[in-house]
Amino acid sequence: MKDNDKTRPVGMMDSGLGGISVLREAVRVLPKEDFVYFGDSVNVPYGTRTTEKVQELTFNVVEKLRQEYNIKAMVIACNTATSASIKALRAHYTDMPIIGIEPAVKPAVICNQGGRIIVMGTPMTMRLENYQRLMNMYKDEAEIVPLTCWGLAEFVEDGIRDHEGLRKFFDENLKPVLTDDTESIVLGCTHYPFLKKELKNYFGDRNILLIDGSKGTSSQLRRRLDEEGLLRDDDHKGEVTFLNSSDDPKMIELSWQLLNMDLD
Ligand code: DGL
C-alpha cells in the first residue's frame, strides 16, 4: 500500500561522499525536507567494478534506507550507480520516485559557443548505455570529448589533501585533451564538484565553465515529490542524517565538512 506521509525523509546515496555535492543543492531547493544520506565509502570506487556488483551494492543501500528509514523517495546521487542500476531500481520499487543523475551534457551543449566540451566521468559511466545515448544525441551539435578518469574520486574520499597528486593527475589526464578552444568541462561524477577549486587553480587565468548535474537532479527531485503529492508543506526545518558503510567516524566528520565547504 502507498504511504502518503509527507514527513518521511528522502534517501540519497553515493559510492562514497561525492553525492554530497547533490545533497548541498537538494537542501537548498527543498529546505523543509529531511534527508538521509548513505555513503558507501567501504566500497568506493564503484566506477571500476562490474555492472552486476554496482547493482547489488546499490540495491542493498536502497533496501536499507527503505527498511530502516521508511524513505519516501530515493536519489541515486552517483552517475555510476545510476548508469548501472536506475532501470532495474525503477522496475523493482514501483511505489516511490527514484531520481538518478547523469553527466550534464545537455546544459553544456546549450551554453556552448563553438568550443570543445570535455566530459569527465568514471570508467563505468563512460562505458555504459546512458552516456553513449547522450553522446549520440549531441554529437552533431558540439565537439564533445570524453575523458575517463581512473582514480580521481578517491582524492575526494581522502579529504582533498593531496594537492600535488591532483596536479599530477591533471597533467597526465586532462592536459592532453585541454585545447585552447576548450570552453566547458562536464563534471560527470558527483565527487568532482569538490575539485572545482583545484581545477580552477590548474587553469590559471583561462575561463573554462565547470558544469555538473546537481541542480538538474535536485529540481527533478522537487518535481517528482510534487507530482506524487509528497512535497512537505509544513513549517518543518529540514535535517540531514549522514550514514556511512565505514565505521571510521572521520567519514561522518568529512561528510559535514563537504556539506558546508565553499566550492568556488
Ligand atoms: N560519485 C560517483 C559518480 O558520480 C563515482 C565514484 C566512484 O567511482 O565510486 O559516478
Side-chain angles (χ1 to χ4, degrees):
M1 208 184 61
K2 233 176 155 180
D3 181 346
N4 290 324
D5 177 6
K6 299 175 184 176
T7 64
R8 292 181 296 149
V10 173
M12 192 178 278
M13 73 156 300
D14 177 46
S15 58
L17 307 183
I20 297 169
S21 63
V22 180
L23 180 62
R24 294 162 61 100
E25 186 60 24
V27 163
R28 206 184 59 77
V29 173
L30 295 160
K32 294 179 179 177
E33 302 293 341
D34 289 336
F35 289 91
V36 184
Y37 180 96
F38 188 95
D40 194 6
S41 297
V42 163
N43 294 303
V44 75
Y46 278 11
T48 49
R49 293 179 182 277
T50 63
T51 314
E52 294 71 29
K53 186 65 190 172
V54 171
Q55 280 181 357
E56 179 197 321
L57 293 168
T58 307
F59 266 86
N60 286 347
V61 175
V62 176
E63 194 52 35
K64 178 185 169 67
L65 295 183
R66 272 171 71 92
Q67 297 289 335
E68 295 177 17
Y69 291 87
N70 191 21
I71 52 171
K72 62 180 177 181
M74 183 71 205
V75 182
I76 309 299
C78 174
N79 294 260
T80 308
T82 298
S83 313
S85 325
I86 199 84
K87 269 196 195 152
L89 286 168
R90 286 186 180 138
H92 188 78
Y93 297 110
T94 52
D95 60 347
M96 73 172 177
I98 300 183
I99 292 89
I101 186 163
E102 61 182 18
V105 176
K106 185 179 171 183
V109 169
I110 291 172
C111 299
N112 190 258
Q113 306 279 321
R116 171 176 284 198
I117 300 171
I118 297 172
V119 184
M120 294 168 71
T122 69
M124 187 178 295
T125 299
M126 306 311 267
R127 189 177 74 229
L128 292 185
E129 186 195 329
N130 276 20
Y131 178 70
Q132 295 303 326
R133 180 183 42 78
L134 272 175
M135 266 306 256
N136 277 334
M137 205 182 301
Y138 296 107
K139 68 177 186 313
D140 298 330
E141 296 188 41
E143 187 201 6
I144 307 172
V145 177
L147 178 60
T148 300
C149 298
W150 298 81
L152 186 55
E154 285 89 320
F155 285 94
V156 176
E157 291 292 311
D158 246 17
I160 321 165
R161 285 171 304 176
D162 184 5
H163 303 282
E164 230 168 82
L166 268 169
R167 184 159 274 275
K168 189 162 174 275
F169 183 98
F170 296 151
D171 273 342
E172 288 172 359
N173 297 275
L174 188 54
K175 202 173 177 184
V177 290
L178 200 62
T179 47
D180 284 347
D181 74 336
T182 298
E183 215 176 285
S184 59
I185 297 184
V186 175
L187 305 174
C189 164
T190 53
H191 282 76
Y192 304 164
F194 292 112
L195 302 174
K196 272 188 184 173
K197 266 193 186 154
E198 311 281 335
L199 281 162
K200 284 184 182 166
N201 276 342
Y202 187 75
F203 300 149
D205 48 16
R206 292 189 55 181
N207 193 13
I208 297 175
L209 199 58
L210 299 173
I211 304 173
D212 68 79
S214 58
K215 283 202 170 62
T217 302
S218 302
S219 325
Q220 177 65 359
L221 170 62
R222 189 179 205 293
R223 220 169 7 246
R224 291 292 292 118
L225 288 176
D226 198 14
E227 273 168 14
E228 297 293 325
L230 288 170
L231 206 52
R232 260 187 110 136
D233 46 15
D234 53 1
D235 282 338
H236 181 70
K237 189 177 171 317
E239 285 171 19
V240 170
T241 303
F242 280 118
L243 309 170
N244 200 289
S245 51
S246 161
D247 52 16
D248 182 348
K250 280 205 197 94
M251 296 319 280
I252 302 293
E253 232 173 80
L254 183 54
S255 299
W256 285 108
Q257 280 170 21
L258 293 174
L259 185 68
N260 297 310
M261 185 188 259
D262 177 15
L263 292 194
D264 294 298

